[in-house]
Amino acid sequence: MHKVMPLLLLLVMALHLVRPIGLPGLKRRSDFWKIAVAAIVAMMLTVLIRP
């Protein structure tokens, strides 16, 4: 599972460059970096929560 998530995130980022997702904050093609920032924050929270 830990190898699937980065691939899914890369796929979502690539699709967002082709056609913007349209969610609030992700309306322009140049907003694809926000997906990466959200993923990094989620990974950091996971590391902090795990014992």
Side-chain angles (χ1 to χ4, degrees):
M1 184 65 168
H2 62 277
K3 293 186 180 189
V4 174
M5 287 304 286
L7 291 175
L8 284 174
L9 288 169
L10 286 173
L11 179 66
V12 169
M13 289 173 67
L15 289 175
H16 184 74
L17 284 174
V18 174
R19 182 168 185 229
I21 297 172
L23 295 173
L26 295 173
K27 299 217 182 256
R28 294 181 305 197
R29 286 190 173 116
S30 62
D31 291 336
F32 74 98
W33 62 270
K34 292 179 183 178
I35 299 169
V37 170
I40 291 170
V41 169
M43 286 182 219
M44 289 173 55
L45 287 175
T46 302
V47 169
L48 290 174
I49 293 172
R50 294 176 84 186

